Amino acid sequence: MTTDDPNVKVSPNPSSGKFVISSKDALQDVSVYNLLGERIIFLEQARGLTSAEIDLAGFGKGIYIINVADGKKISNRKV
């Protein structure tokens, strides 16, 4: 189920490319997609943690979708 989970925070937004994802629940999967729907980052090492850092500085400026799953629900954030 995809939700707008208020427990998942992405900051700062906007930024120069580095973001921190934090959640009250342990993260299961964290993926970043470009607007073409291509997955450009998958953070496997975030599994089981409550926060993770994403660095998009190597990618072009633009809008990206961060998909965060905690095993029960999926939350999407636009950055």
Side-chain angles (χ1 to χ4, degrees):
M1 168 171 59
T2 302
T3 67
D4 187 20
D5 188 351
N7 293 325
V8 175
K9 307 249 186 276
V10 177
S11 61
N13 190 9
S15 86
S16 61
K18 290 188 179 184
F19 298 91
V20 174
I21 299 168
S22 58
S23 174
K24 290 185 179 181
D25 300 316
L27 302 172
Q28 183 67 29
D29 292 318
V30 177
S31 299
V32 179
Y33 296 87
N34 63 21
L35 289 182
L36 298 175
E38 301 167 326
R39 183 165 66 179
I40 59 170
I41 293 177
F42 177 68
L43 293 180
E44 191 170 359
Q45 70 272 20
R47 198 166 278 161
L49 302 176
T50 57
S51 68
E53 183 178 278
I54 294 177
D55 187 356
L56 295 176
F59 297 93
K61 291 183 180 181
I63 298 173
Y64 296 91
I65 306 298
I66 298 177
N67 183 295
V68 180
D70 68 5
K72 300 175 191 167
K73 56 194 166 297
I74 300 170
S75 182
N76 295 309
R77 294 289 187 273
K78 186 172 21 171
V79 295

